[in-house]
Amino acid sequence: MSYRYWEHKAHKAIVQIWPTIRNNWHLGLTALPGAIGMFGLSVGISNIGNTLPRAVYALLSGLNAATVGIIACAAVELSSIAITDKLTRILVFLTGAAGLLYKALWYFPVLIFAAGFAAVTHDYRWLHRLMQAIKNIFIQARASLLGVEHNTIERGSWSDPNSSITALQEHEMTSGGDPESRTIPQEYRLNFSWKSGTAIITTFFLTFIVVMVLRGVLHNPPILYKLFANLYLAGTIIFGGGPVVIPLLREYIVAEGWVSPRDFLVGLAIIQAFPGPNFNFAVFLGGLTAINNGQSVVLGAIIAFIGIFLPGMVLVHGTMGVWKVLRSKPLVKSGVRGINAGAVGLIYTAVYRIWQVGFIDADFQSGKSLGDDPWWVVVTATAYVGGRYFGLSAPLALLLGGLLGLVRYGVIMS
């Protein structure tokens, strides 16, 4: 092919990519300060001894207790948005409860998609139609035994196929119309066609499959590749935002033996006070993983940053292309409604997971339940009540939690 052909293709690609860069450059600036801070923290943590001063443990426990209150407050506020009827209320409860009972790499995404499937099943009344069909079979069998003619079976017992979306229509009428009718300013629109969106999503999942297959078939893959694969998986399956990523990272990093439980909890306490998303926690864990295995800390942090952020960025932009086509589909609306409810339920799971390991001290550096000391219960309740009813911001709640932790230390030492 001629040089001009490739020049034309390159120019066309740049023209298509530029709106994406223009609308999303600020996301990198938002995440970068926190990522740099967590990178520095990973270097600092790797140089400290096996134990910390008890005052530091008290400070960190106070931060963890306040974090639980903040996340619990966020879960309640998100519930008020996600819960629109009895079905979504049940899905939030069941997903949160199921998340408490078991943990595995595949478990959270299965719960999320199960919630979406349950919403579709309910809105389209698939179970209702199945039960009605079974009932009709029994009615026909009984009628044949009694010698009743087939056409005398009550016609009202057959389900009307047009009633399959009645539940969804009722939900839309009671929820105030279509929430997708909002207007997006022209400068923030990314005019991806559905073909481009489909291509982006397909390419991403092909790379995802390749990464996961290599992770499984390679006899002894490099530690940094395993780190990237685990975080690539976490970034792909996370729904519900920052709070959900915490227990997931504990399973994918600490359970692998790459980072100690104590260092994980130290980073967990401090990440809440850093700017940017909780996903930056992966940078801290990536840096420590590299240091603990004799690898470059800079390379480990960069790999972790890319692994955790890239899937979401790619999938969001790919979805923008197909969403314009899918947004009006009742089936998609039902599924998204269930997925949102399931994601909120998993935030309650995250609250419980952090609660169970938030109290750390020199004698139990792997953490134990905040409920073992009433003081931390008070700190958690203070952060929750302050944020929920008095408008206390998250940074101030964390500052208050840290101070209360130091107060506890001062009282005990005196």
Side-chain angles (χ1 to χ4, degrees):
M1 295 182 182
S2 66
Y3 170 77
R4 290 186 176 278
Y5 172 82
W6 289 110
E7 183 182 19
H8 171 71
K9 287 293 185 181
H11 180 266
K12 184 178 180 180
I14 293 173
V15 170
Q16 291 179 339
I17 293 173
W18 171 246
T20 303
I21 299 174
R22 181 190 63 197
N23 291 335
N24 294 278
W25 65 269
H26 64 283
L27 297 177
L29 294 181
T30 301
L32 194 57
I36 294 174
M38 295 310 291
F39 165 75
L41 180 64
S42 68
V43 175
I45 290 295
S46 67
N47 291 314
I48 65 175
N50 293 328
T51 59
L52 298 170
R54 287 191 176 273
V56 176
Y57 285 119
L59 173 66
L60 296 175
S61 296
L63 291 175
N64 284 337
T67 298
V68 172
I70 293 170
I71 298 177
C73 181
V76 172
E77 291 175 351
L78 289 172
S79 295
S80 64
I81 300 173
I83 295 175
T84 56
D85 55 9
K86 290 183 179 180
L87 171 68
T88 47
R89 189 179 302 278
I90 292 172
L91 290 177
V92 169
F93 167 73
L94 290 180
T95 308
L100 303 179
L101 301 177
Y102 185 72
K103 52 184 179 181
L105 299 183
W106 51 268
Y107 190 52
F108 277 15
V110 168
L111 290 179
I112 289 287
F113 286 108
F117 180 76
V120 172
T121 301
H122 171 271
D123 290 343
Y124 279 78
R125 298 188 175 176
W126 288 345
L127 287 180
H128 173 79
R129 296 167 70 183
L130 176 62
M131 296 303 295
Q132 191 67 52
I134 295 173
K135 178 182 177 182
N136 290 332
I137 292 174
F138 280 106
I139 292 176
Q140 288 181 356
R142 183 183 178 187
S144 62
L145 289 175
L146 297 177
V148 180
E149 293 295 331
H150 174 71
N151 57 9
T152 62
I153 299 175
E154 183 180 358
R155 295 182 179 271
S157 64
W158 293 89
S159 60
D160 181 6
N162 295 325
S163 67
S164 62
I165 59 172
T166 302
L168 180 61
Q169 293 172 339
E170 290 175 355
H171 165 71
E172 290 180 345
M173 288 187 294
T174 57
S175 61
D178 184 6
E180 301 297 338
S181 60
R182 63 184 183 277
T183 302
I184 301 175
Q186 183 64 37
E187 61 270 20
Y188 292 108
R189 295 182 185 179
L190 297 176
N191 294 318
F192 290 155
S193 67
W194 70 268
K195 293 182 179 179
S196 299
T198 303
I200 291 172
I201 295 174
T202 302
T203 303
F204 169 78
F205 278 109
L206 287 176
T207 64
F208 176 79
I209 292 172
V210 170
V211 169
M212 292 301 112
V213 169
L214 289 177
R215 173 73 166 85
V217 301
L218 291 178
H219 178 63
N220 189 24
I223 183 66
L224 293 184
Y225 179 79
K226 292 193 289 186
L227 170 69
F228 174 78
N230 282 18
L231 292 178
Y232 202 58
L233 173 61
T236 301
I237 65 177
I238 286 174
F239 291 84
V244 178
V245 76
I246 302 301
L248 210 57
L249 290 178
R250 185 177 176 88
E251 290 298 312
Y252 288 12
I253 303 296
V254 178
E256 294 279 359
W258 300 337
V259 174
S260 69
R262 186 208 67 175
D263 291 347
F264 180 89
L265 292 172
V266 170
L268 172 62
I270 296 177
I271 181 64
Q272 308 302 325
F274 271 61
N278 279 343
F279 280 29
N280 281 332
F281 192 29
V283 176
F284 168 78
L285 298 174
L288 274 181
T289 297
I291 293 173
N292 293 339
N293 290 274
Q295 304 293 323
S296 168
V297 60
V298 176
L299 186 58
I302 292 175
I303 286 175
F305 184 87
I306 295 174
I308 198 72
F309 278 101
L310 183 61
M313 295 177 65
V314 172
L315 289 175
V316 164
H317 287 83
T319 304
M320 286 181 180
V322 300
W323 185 244
K324 289 183 290 186
V325 177
L326 297 178
R327 62 192 292 181
S328 60
K329 306 295 184 182
L331 184 73
V332 175
K333 289 183 179 181
S334 294
V336 169
R337 188 161 67 99
I339 287 174
N340 287 339
V344 172
L346 291 182
I347 298 179
Y348 289 100
T349 298
V351 170
Y352 173 79
R353 298 282 188 216
I354 301 173
W355 173 268
Q356 288 298 97
V357 296
F359 183 15
I360 54 176
D361 203 348
D363 299 328
F364 36 88
Q365 298 193 47
S366 295
K368 66 177 185 177
S369 175
L370 291 166
D372 288 351
D373 191 316
W375 183 264
W376 305 126
V377 179
V378 171
V379 174
T380 299
T382 300
Y384 174 82
V385 172
R388 178 68 176 159
Y389 300 107
F390 296 97
L392 183 67
S393 64
L396 288 179
L398 289 169
L399 177 61
L400 180 60
L403 290 175
L404 290 174
L406 293 176
V407 168
R408 178 185 180 276
Y409 169 78
V411 171
I412 290 177
M413 293 302 294
S414 63

